[in-house]
């Protein structure tokens, strides 16, 4: 007899739902087009549109027009729907998978150059000490 953990395994399942993938894509790029989300997530445009509609209806996304395009904002403080995670905000998951949620930058803010950070080797005995050359 095959158990859940041995023998024939189901292939094709994933940890994240399509709703999560779409929300992550939007968190990464709030101005992304639905067709680009569809390509990135391996979904049809119609499916992405339905998912975005679900996310808006349930308060996870807000949409505004920016010229001819839509711009999306992930609702701050939105929480997971399932009772097992009900007390947790989705921002933590999105920050982990998409990077920190960005807020629109002020139009007058000057661009500041970034300085390269020191290269870190995690495989050295000090774990995280700057890499030195001999």
């Amino acid at each position: 007899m095959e158990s859940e953990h041995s023998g024939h395994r189901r292939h094709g399942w994933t940890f994240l739902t399509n709703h999560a993938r779409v929300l992550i894509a939007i968190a990464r790029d709030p101005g992304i087009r639905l067709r680009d989300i569809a390509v990135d997530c391996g979904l049809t445009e119609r499916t992405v549109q339905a998912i975005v509609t679900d996310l808006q209806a349930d308060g996870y996304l807000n949409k505004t027009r920016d010229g001819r395009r839509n711009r999306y904002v992930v609702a701050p403080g939105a929480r997971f729907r399932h009772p097992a995670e009900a007390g947790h905000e989705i921002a933590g998951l999105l920050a982990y998978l998409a990077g920190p949620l960005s807020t629109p930058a002020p139009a007058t803010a000057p661009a500041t150059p970034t300085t390269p950070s020191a290269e870190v080797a995690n495989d050295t005995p000090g774990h995280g000490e700057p890499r030195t050359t001999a």
Side-chain angles (χ1 to χ4, degrees), residues 43-126:
L43 302 168
T44 65
E45 253 185 272
R46 179 176 246 165
T47 299
V48 171
Q49 177 60 52
I51 289 170
V52 167
T53 299
D54 287 346
L55 293 170
Q56 285 180 273
D58 289 339
Y60 288 92
L61 281 180
N62 297 309
K63 176 176 75 170
T64 58
R65 292 294 288 174
D66 186 11
R68 294 178 50 194
R69 299 188 64 178
N70 291 324
R71 188 153 194 81
Y72 300 94
V73 176
V74 176
R79 298 188 180 277
F80 287 100
R81 292 175 48 142
H82 194 278
E85 299 89 27
H88 300 280
E89 291 185 4
I90 62 168
L93 178 67
L94 292 177
Y96 180 73
L97 295 174
L101 292 179
S102 60
T103 55
T108 58
T112 56
T114 58
T115 57
S117 59
E119 187 176 347
V120 175
N122 290 329
D123 57 347
T124 60

Side-chain angles (χ1 to χ4, degrees), residues 5-28:
H5 302 288
S6 66
H8 176 71
R9 295 209 183 256
R10 290 182 2 172
H11 297 286
W13 67 273
T14 61
F15 281 104
L16 299 176
T17 66
N18 290 336
H19 282 67
R21 280 191 196 89
V22 168
L23 194 59
I24 291 165
I26 290 170
R28 286 181 179 146

